[in-house]
Amino acid sequence: MSTLTIEYDSLAVHVDVMDEMLKVILSDGREVAVPLAWFPRLMNATDEQRKNWRFIGGGVGIHWESVDEDIAIETLLRQKNHTQAAASTKNHWQNSNRIDTLSAQASSRVIPNPLTGGEGG
């Protein structure tokens, strides 16, 4: 019979729940901070309930008994990367739209024809 062993790159070593952010320090030194709005149960919890957490699986996740919330570290890392990618994509499209708008404005300008004194052409 074989045993499945799962190794995790990063485990949580410290948790800090602030007014609007959840901050987790990982065993590899990284800090992950995400908005509490992602976790409505924590957002609506009292300070006392937010402070009452424990690690799951030695740091694989975090559990809040009083608000019935479990958060996997892998989820935080995946969500953070997804959010960064979404922000990057949004910035890209905003910049593209800005360039398209400037191009449209430039192409719609009427330039007088120096030979006839009338509009371009």
Side-chain angles (χ1 to χ4, degrees):
M1 176 177 204
S2 62
T3 302
L4 175 63
T5 302
I6 300 173
E7 292 185 26
Y8 295 92
D9 293 331
S10 298
L11 301 174
V13 296
H14 181 76
V15 176
D16 190 13
V17 185
M18 296 170 272
D19 287 339
E20 296 184 9
M21 297 293 285
L22 170 64
K23 181 174 143 183
V24 180
I25 299 176
L26 304 177
S27 57
D28 63 6
R30 287 183 289 173
E31 294 183 11
V32 180
V34 297
L36 269 188
W38 289 3
F39 309 102
R41 292 179 187 160
L42 284 180
M43 185 76 177
N44 296 320
T46 65
D47 286 340
E48 193 62 34
Q49 290 173 315
R50 291 176 182 177
K51 291 177 187 175
N52 187 21
W53 57 267
R54 67 177 176 86
F55 288 125
I56 302 169
V60 171
I62 311 157
H63 174 71
W64 285 264
E65 182 72 33
S66 60
V67 293
D68 192 30
E69 183 70 78
D70 296 301
I71 300 173
I73 301 308
E74 183 178 319
T75 300
L76 293 177
L77 294 172
R78 198 173 29 228
Q79 288 293 346
K80 186 169 179 67
N81 290 337
H82 173 72
T83 302
Q84 288 170 342
S88 176
T89 301
K90 180 180 177 184
N91 288 340
H92 169 76
W93 286 111
Q94 284 176 337
N95 289 336
S96 294
N97 289 340
R98 200 172 296 127
I99 291 168
D100 290 345
T101 301
L102 291 173
S103 296
Q105 289 171 349
S107 65
S108 66
R109 285 191 190 137
V110 176
I111 301 172
N113 184 330
L115 299 176
T116 63
E119 292 182 5

